[in-house]
Amino acid sequence: MKSVRVVCAHDCPDMCSLIAHVDNGKVVRVQGDPEHPYTAGFACGKVNRDADLVNSPERIATPLRRTGPKGSGQYASITWDEALDEIADRWKAIIAESGPEAILGYAYSAHQGLMNRGLVGGLFHALGTSRLQAGTVCDTCCETAWEMTVGPVGGADPESVVHSDLVVSWGADLAATNVHFWALAEAQKKSRGMPIVVIDPRRTRSAKAADLYLPIRIGTDAALALGVMHILVRDGLADRDYIAKHTLGFDTVEHDVLPRFTPARTAEITGLSVADIETFAAMYGNAKAALIRLGEGMTRLANGGQALRTVVLLPGVSGHYAVKGGGALLLTAASCDLNYAAVRKPSGPATARMVNHLRLGEELLNMKEPPIRALYVSANNPAVTCPEVHKVQKGLSREDLFTVVHDPFMTDTARYADIVLPAANYLETDDLYRAYGAYWMQWGQKAVEPAGQARSNFHVAQALAARMGVKDRVFTLSPREAAEELFKGATGPAAKADPQKLFAGEPIHIAHDWQGQPFKTPSGKLEFYSEQLAKQGLSPVPDWQPDPIEVEDAKKWPLRLLTAPGYFQAHTAFSGVGFLRKREGMPFCILHPEDAAKRGLKDGDQVRVFNDRGEIGLVLKVADEVQPGVLLVPGQRPTSEAVSGTINMLCSDRYTDMGEGATYQSTWLDVGPWKAAA
């Protein structure tokens, strides 16, 4: 038996340091690393089962070649050399006939560190293929809104919550998605009475523990933030000195916008009571160091960028950005200035055709000059996670599309592939990790050898680079040697890391010693007025207006969709663990008792969820954790586990107002008995 310090690679802001216990070359247990100052020796319920994940009997053991129709899942084993040679031969032929932009590499963060994620993208960058505009299914809208307001810089350090006197969890279920920050916040609440406010359309586990819970109507976050600003100004709680020195354009907002967001109108828009709005504004305005922890979910709708941008401005009115323990936290990655291009962009043309992450289906079907003729999917499952899944499935079904999928499991997407490659788990490969919700980075060494014939993303990218004649040095380096390249040319606190300590596996704190929140906008200030947005034809000041398309959809359909991570099946990457599948149950939806009663539905029924785009089948749970008029669907689940289909079949591939992100929450639909589908 031995213990190996590893790092959790799952797509989560905390980036837990872990201990993998290994017996005779097999991981038998995974637990939190008690020596990490932030993640503090405990892991979430999902990661505690990662020994089951790496040892899952459902893992793909060998490379596979398709033998039946696309989507059938019929495959025969082949060797790695046969698989890699076939891939390289097909790519070379396609490049000769149609040019490199006929190939698309579809790789994102998923459940990998910086090396295994980055080098796959580096291969396609060097080849000059079409490039993935990554992250639009997730965070491009919120990142763009933050950058238009604060600039490309990280937010507050979550560990500064020990200095906070109020925490506002705005659109984030911290108990599920940011558990270590939640633990710190709860400790402050218990030890010194620090209040916690939760603003969320769903009465989450976090909301149940809050001192004040505001069940806001979906899509109205900007209105609430403006309503609070109105009260701060009205009651003399605006920090005029901070506004004058560190912000731009507040006078315009104060004169032209805030008068329209009285408590009464804010209540009408948000669905909250005037009393609760007044209570929250008083708590926030009288706090000395209020910290807002922002969730990304509020931005996954038509006006999502404006929503987050407006909330981000709130600490500028109160002056909390100047105070330790105050301000706002969305992401931290922008303040870890490593030389990512060394791995992600080793060579290749400066520009190439872009394919938006969320519009894969649309581009597979309609992109021309040249059409996409080859697709390489690494650590992603677009046949479940993309909106307009019907388009994705139709595109993947093209017989003239040569598709390769590299994944540990036979996913919905892999079933459409011509070649399937078995992928290593994060416990089976060396990698460098950087948190995006905390100021830490760490080197994680592999705990065991890959199962079966699995190979890491990094290894396969190098093998394909050799076959394709790509000569960049990074494709000959070990993962550690490649990681060292990221520190050559790095800037800021990350550049000061001690390599000897880092590569020995010691967690490295990325110093967050700013005196107040820095702003890297064009003006160098917090921008209530954004010239950048004005040039894009968007409102340069924060505001709230109903989206016209949503208004029309609401006339046709009585329910609005709310999606959120599942507690035990947040992503399809966890579907390989039978224990977690059982804990989560079959894919389900949650409806308020009033809405269920109107439709004659009861808890446990199989129901038909439908709109103009199609229909799916889920199991119904009836609970008051959502408001009437809302249908909650937790988690991303394989279609094989559901009664029928996946929720993203019903979601549009329309863009958000900023960042060309996904608009999952701008979906309107209805629910009825499943038998009605016949």
Side-chain angles (χ1 to χ4, degrees), residues 33-94:
D33 175 5
E35 296 184 11
H36 194 286
Y38 179 56
T39 60
F42 70 95
C44 70
K46 300 181 291 294
V47 172
N48 280 330
R49 306 297 304 198
D50 270 1
D52 294 349
L53 184 68
V54 73
N55 297 317
S56 173
E58 299 169 31
R59 288 186 64 174
I60 300 167
T62 69
L64 304 170
R65 179 186 287 123
R66 180 169 62 88
T67 58
K70 289 197 172 189
S72 67
Q74 298 175 35
Y75 291 91
S77 294
I78 56 175
T79 68
W80 267 102
D81 281 339
E82 288 174 317
L84 295 172
D85 288 345
E86 182 170 343
I87 294 167
D89 289 345
R90 293 289 296 271
W91 285 359
K92 288 176 181 177
I94 289 170

Side-chain angles (χ1 to χ4, degrees), residues 164-166 185-196 211:
S164 304
D165 61 356
L166 173 67
E186 281 202 305
Q188 307 313 305
K189 173 182 167 70
K190 183 176 180 180
S191 65
R192 52 189 181 84
M194 182 196 73
I196 297 175
D211 297 275

Side-chain angles (χ1 to χ4, degrees), residues 351-513:
T351 60
R353 182 172 67 177
M354 301 297 294
V355 174
N356 188 297
H357 198 155
L358 70 90
R359 287 198 173 165
L360 177 65
E362 176 69 21
E363 306 299 19
L364 289 178
L365 294 175
N366 297 313
M367 185 165 269
K368 306 296 182 187
E369 297 181 355
I372 297 172
R373 296 181 56 192
L375 175 69
Y376 184 94
V377 180
S378 177
N380 267 248
N381 193 7
V384 171
T385 59
C386 280
E388 303 267 14
V389 165
H390 288 301
K391 289 183 182 179
V392 178
Q393 291 175 335
K394 187 176 180 181
L396 292 172
S397 297
R398 283 174 39 201
E399 283 296 331
D400 64 336
L401 177 70
F402 176 63
T403 300
V404 179
V405 172
H406 187 204
D407 200 279
F409 297 97
M410 183 59 70
T411 63
D412 286 55
T413 306
R415 295 175 71 86
Y416 290 92
D418 297 281
I419 300 288
V420 179
L421 304 174
N425 176 279
Y426 75 94
L427 293 166
E428 301 166 327
T429 179
D430 296 333
D431 214 328
L432 177 66
Y433 300 89
R434 177 224 62 215
Y436 64 84
Y439 287 95
W440 290 92
M441 60 182 170
Q442 188 174 339
W443 177 254
Q445 61 178 312
K446 68 179 178 182
V448 293
E449 293 300 318
Q453 295 183 31
R455 296 185 184 180
S456 70
N457 292 18
F458 189 90
H459 182 121
V460 174
Q462 290 188 328
L464 287 170
R467 283 169 169 79
M468 295 299 295
V470 178
K471 302 296 185 182
D472 301 287
R473 178 172 171 269
V474 71
F475 293 106
T476 66
L477 302 179
S478 68
R480 172 173 172 170
E481 290 169 335
E484 290 172 349
E485 296 296 307
L486 269 62
F487 292 90
K488 298 175 182 178
T491 60
K496 301 175 184 177
D498 183 336
Q500 186 172 351
K501 291 182 178 179
L502 177 69
F503 291 110
E506 183 175 327
I508 301 296
H509 189 245
I510 304 167
H512 187 82
D513 53 2

Side-chain angles (χ1 to χ4, degrees), residues 545-564:
Q545 299 289 341
D547 177 69
I549 295 177
E550 289 181 3
V551 170
E552 290 304 309
D553 283 348
K555 294 176 182 177
K556 296 189 293 183
W557 302 100
L559 300 174
R560 185 168 191 167
L561 175 66
L562 176 64
T563 58

Side-chain angles (χ1 to χ4, degrees), residues 223-417:
L224 177 58
L226 292 168
V228 172
M229 291 182 199
H230 176 105
I231 295 170
L232 296 180
V233 170
R234 182 198 69 188
D235 294 351
L237 296 173
D239 187 331
R240 295 291 178 177
D241 184 58
Y242 185 85
I243 291 169
K245 291 180 180 178
H246 299 289
T247 74
L248 176 71
F250 180 71
D251 52 345
T252 300
V253 176
E254 182 176 9
H255 297 144
D256 297 346
V257 180
L258 296 188
R260 293 188 278 114
F261 289 89
T262 62
R265 182 166 185 255
T266 302
E268 181 183 354
I269 294 168
T270 62
L272 303 173
S273 69
V274 169
D276 278 350
I277 294 168
E278 292 276 8
T279 297
F280 171 51
M283 291 174 70
Y284 188 79
N286 287 297
K288 302 301 181 185
L291 177 56
I292 300 176
R293 182 61 171 100
L294 296 152
E296 299 173 34
M298 77 171 81
T299 67
R300 293 174 189 145
L301 42 77
N303 288 325
Q306 189 69 285
L308 187 122
R309 169 168 155 71
T310 308
V311 177
V312 166
L313 288 166
L314 193 52
V317 180
S318 63
H320 289 142
Y321 273 129
V323 184
K324 196 169 187 178
L329 170 61
L330 174 67
L331 301 169
T332 61
S335 289
C336 185
D337 300 316
L338 298 173
N339 179 22
Y340 300 108
V343 172
R344 298 176 185 174
K345 302 177 182 180
S347 64
T351 60
R353 182 172 67 177
M354 301 297 294
V355 174
N356 188 297
H357 198 155
L358 70 90
R359 287 198 173 165
L360 177 65
E362 176 69 21
E363 306 299 19
L364 289 178
L365 294 175
N366 297 313
M367 185 165 269
K368 306 296 182 187
E369 297 181 355
I372 297 172
R373 296 181 56 192
L375 175 69
Y376 184 94
V377 180
S378 177
N380 267 248
N381 193 7
V384 171
T385 59
C386 280
E388 303 267 14
V389 165
H390 288 301
K391 289 183 182 179
V392 178
Q393 291 175 335
K394 187 176 180 181
L396 292 172
S397 297
R398 283 174 39 201
E399 283 296 331
D400 64 336
L401 177 70
F402 176 63
T403 300
V404 179
V405 172
H406 187 204
D407 200 279
F409 297 97
M410 183 59 70
T411 63
D412 286 55
T413 306
R415 295 175 71 86
Y416 290 92

